[in-house]
Amino acid sequence: MLDQVVCLAAVTIMGVLEQAYFSLQVIYARRKFSVSPPCTSGPSQFDRVFRAQVNCSEYFPIFIATLWTSGVFFNQGVSSVCGVLYLYARLRYFKGYSQSPQQRLTPLYFSARILWLLIALSCVGIFLCFWRVYVDVNLLQLLST
Amino acid sequence: MLDQVVCLAAVTIMGVLEQAYFSLQVIYARRKFSVSPPCTSGPSQFDRVFRAQVNCSEYFPIFIATLWTSGVFFNQGVSSVCGVLYLYARLRYFKGYSQSPQQRLTPLYFSARILWLLIALSCVGIFLCFWRVYVDVNLLQLLST
Amino acid sequence: MLDQVVCLAAVTIMGVLEQAYFSLQVIYARRKFSVSPPCTSGPSQFDRVFRAQVNCSEYFPIFIATLWTSGVFFNQGVSSVCGVLYLYARLRYFKGYSQSPQQRLTPLYFSARILWLLIALSCVGIFLCFWRVYVDVNLLQLLST
C-alpha cells in the first residue's frame, strides 16, 4: 500500500528541505543586515528575503494538502510531477523576490497555476470516489465502454 | 478504503479554497490601499484584512491535523460536519475582522470551540484505539454488553 | 492498520495542544502589555512571546510532515519518541524566548537537530521503499543475510 504514496512522500521531504533552505537564507540575511530576533524588519533587501520565506511557509501546508489529496484520489504520478514543478517555481520565486518584488511575480503566478491544477485534480478524484462509494457507479469505466 | 476518508478530503479541499479566497482578498486590499510587497502594514483597514488572513493560515494546519485525526480515529461523518462548521466560522471571522476587531470575536470563539471538539474527539478515538491495540480490549463493545 | 499510526496521531494531538498553549500565551501577553489586534508589535517582552509563537506555528506543518513520513516509512516508535522530544524542545524554546532572545538558542538548535533526524529517517524509509517497489529488492533482508 505504501507504494501508492511513496512518490508523494518523496516530494513532501523535498518540500521540507526547500523550507529548511529558505529558513537558512533568512538566518544569513539576519546576520548580514544585523537584524536580530525578535525584530522582523530592516533594510528592504532583508524584508524581501524575510517575506519570501514567510509566504512560502504559509503556502506549504496548502501545497502538502493538495499534493496528497490529488495524489491519493486522482493519480500519484501526475501529482508528484506537479509537486516537483511547484517546488521549482517556489525556488525561483524565492530567488526572484530576493532581487526585487517585480521578479517574484512570474514564478509566483506559475506556482499558483500548479496549485489550482492540484486542486482541480483533487476535485475530480474526490468526485469520482463519491460516485463509486455513494452511488455505486464507476464513472471512468462507464465512460470507457 | 478511500471511502473512509473521502469526506475528510472534500472538507480539506474546501478549506484550501477558503484560504485561496482569503489570499485574494489580501491582494485586492493591497491594491486598494496601495500597500506594495514586501510591506505588510498600512491603514488599519488593510491591517485587519492582512491579520485575518495570517491568523486563518496559522490555524489551517492545526485544523487539518485535528480534522483527519478525529475523522480517522473517531468518526468521519461527525468530523466532516465539524470541519464544515469550522470553515463557515472562519469565513464569518474573516468578514467580521475586515469590518472591525470587535466583530471578529464571536466567530473566533465559535471556531475555537469546534477545534476543541475535534481535539476531544481525536483523544477519544486515539484512546479507544490504544485499548484495542495494546490491551486487546474493545471498550465500545464492552460498554454495549 | 490504525495500530501502525496511532502513536503518530497521539503525538500530533500533543503538538496541537502545545500550539493552543502558545496561542493562549500570546493572548495573555496582548492583555498584559495592551497590544490590541490587528497590532502585532509592542514592548520587546511582548514581541518575543509573539515571535516565539509565530516561529513554532511556522514549523508545525514541517514537523507533522516529517513525523508522519518517517513514522510510516521508517518506524513508528522511533519517530514518536523524536516527536515528543521535539515538542519538549519547542516548549523550552518558547519559555526561553519569553525570557530573552539568547535563551531561545539552545532548545532551538536541539529542535532543529531532531527535525534533521526525522528528515534523515524519512529519507532512509523512502529509499528502502523505492527499492522494494521499483527494483523489487528488499535491501534490509539482503543486508541481514
Side-chain angles (χ1 to χ4, degrees):
Chain A
M1 212 216 73
L2 287 186
D3 59 302
Q4 285 165 26
V5 293
V6 65
C7 295
L8 304 175
V11 175
T12 299
I13 295 300
M14 285 168 62
V16 167
L17 290 172
E18 190 176 70
Q19 289 300 121
Y21 169 77
F22 295 157
S23 292
L24 287 174
Q25 300 309 307
V26 172
I27 293 172
Y28 298 149
R30 279 193 179 281
R31 284 187 197 150
K32 191 174 170 189
F33 300 105
S34 306
V35 182
S36 299
C39 188
T40 57
S41 61
S44 74
Q45 201 178 340
F46 171 80
D47 289 353
R48 290 199 308 271
V49 172
F50 181 74
R51 284 300 306 164
Q53 190 264 333
V54 168
N55 190 283
C56 292
S57 291
E58 204 171 280
Y59 277 86
F60 181 74
I62 290 168
F63 165 62
I64 296 294
T66 52
L67 173 76
W68 281 79
T69 308
S70 66
V72 169
F73 285 88
F74 185 78
N75 182 284
Q76 184 186 202
V78 175
S79 300
S80 301
V81 170
C82 289
V84 171
L85 287 175
Y86 175 84
L87 294 177
Y88 175 66
R90 277 291 168 179
L91 188 66
R92 280 178 47 221
Y93 163 85
F94 190 88
K95 289 185 180 293
Y97 206 168
S98 304
Q99 299 300 317
S100 76
Q102 186 58 35
Q103 287 182 56
R104 87 189 194 288
L105 290 177
T106 311
L108 182 63
Y109 294 153
F110 183 67
S111 76
R113 256 179 239 123
I114 301 205
L115 268 191
W116 283 113
L117 179 58
L118 284 172
I119 291 172
L121 297 179
S122 301
C123 290
V124 172
I126 290 170
F127 181 76
L128 292 175
C129 187
F130 266 122
W131 273 77
R132 269 198 314 275
V133 172
Y134 295 102
V135 195
D136 203 15
V137 170
N138 190 327
L139 284 180
L140 282 187
Q141 209 174 311
L142 210 71
L143 282 171
S144 65
T145 57
Chain B
M1 212 216 72
L2 288 185
D3 59 301
Q4 285 164 27
V5 292
V6 65
C7 295
L8 304 175
V11 176
T12 299
I13 294 301
M14 285 168 62
V16 167
L17 290 173
E18 191 176 69
Q19 288 301 119
Y21 170 76
F22 295 157
S23 292
L24 288 174
Q25 300 308 307
V26 173
I27 292 172
Y28 297 150
R30 279 192 179 281
R31 285 187 196 152
K32 191 175 171 188
F33 301 105
S34 305
V35 181
S36 299
C39 189
T40 57
S41 62
S44 74
Q45 201 178 339
F46 171 79
D47 289 353
R48 292 199 307 271
V49 173
F50 181 75
R51 283 301 305 164
Q53 189 264 333
V54 168
N55 191 283
C56 291
S57 291
E58 204 170 281
Y59 278 86
F60 181 74
I62 290 169
F63 165 62
I64 296 295
T66 53
L67 172 75
W68 281 79
T69 308
S70 67
V72 169
F73 285 88
F74 186 79
N75 181 283
Q76 184 186 202
V78 176
S79 300
S80 301
V81 170
C82 289
V84 172
L85 288 175
Y86 175 84
L87 294 178
Y88 175 65
R90 277 292 169 179
L91 187 66
R92 279 179 47 223
Y93 163 84
F94 190 88
K95 288 184 181 292
Y97 206 168
S98 303
Q99 299 300 317
S100 76
Q102 186 57 35
Q103 287 183 55
R104 88 190 193 288
L105 291 177
T106 311
L108 182 63
Y109 294 152
F110 184 66
S111 75
R113 254 178 242 123
I114 301 203
L115 268 190
W116 282 114
L117 179 58
L118 285 172
I119 291 171
L121 298 179
S122 301
C123 289
V124 171
I126 290 170
F127 180 76
L128 292 174
C129 187
F130 265 122
W131 273 77
R132 271 199 313 275
V133 173
Y134 295 103
V135 196
D136 202 14
V137 170
N138 190 328
L139 284 179
L140 282 187
Q141 209 174 311
L142 210 72
L143 282 171
S144 66
T145 57
Chain C
M1 213 216 72
L2 288 185
D3 60 301
Q4 285 164 24
V5 293
V6 65
C7 296
L8 304 175
V11 176
T12 299
I13 295 300
M14 285 168 62
V16 167
L17 290 172
E18 190 176 69
Q19 288 300 120
Y21 170 76
F22 294 157
S23 293
L24 287 173
Q25 300 309 306
V26 173
I27 292 172
Y28 298 149
R30 279 192 179 281
R31 285 186 197 150
K32 191 174 170 189
F33 301 105
S34 306
V35 181
S36 299
C39 189
T40 58
S41 62
S44 74
Q45 202 179 338
F46 171 79
D47 288 354
R48 291 199 307 271
V49 173
F50 180 75
R51 284 300 305 163
Q53 190 264 331
V54 169
N55 191 282
C56 292
S57 291
E58 204 170 280
Y59 277 87
F60 181 74
I62 290 168
F63 165 62
I64 296 295
T66 52
L67 173 75
W68 281 79
T69 308
S70 66
V72 169
F73 285 88
F74 186 79
N75 182 283
Q76 184 185 202
V78 176
S79 300
S80 301
V81 170
C82 288
V84 172
L85 288 175
Y86 175 84
L87 294 177
Y88 175 65
R90 277 291 169 178
L91 188 65
R92 280 178 47 222
Y93 163 85
F94 190 89
K95 289 186 181 291
Y97 206 168
S98 303
Q99 299 300 316
S100 77
Q102 186 57 36
Q103 286 183 55
R104 88 190 193 287
L105 290 176
T106 312
L108 182 62
Y109 295 152
F110 184 66
S111 75
R113 255 178 242 125
I114 301 205
L115 268 191
W116 283 113
L117 180 58
L118 284 172
I119 291 172
L121 297 179
S122 301
C123 289
V124 172
I126 290 170
F127 181 77
L128 291 175
C129 187
F130 265 121
W131 273 76
R132 269 200 312 277
V133 172
Y134 295 103
V135 196
D136 203 14
V137 170
N138 190 326
L139 284 178
L140 282 187
Q141 208 174 311
L142 209 73
L143 282 172
S144 66
T145 56

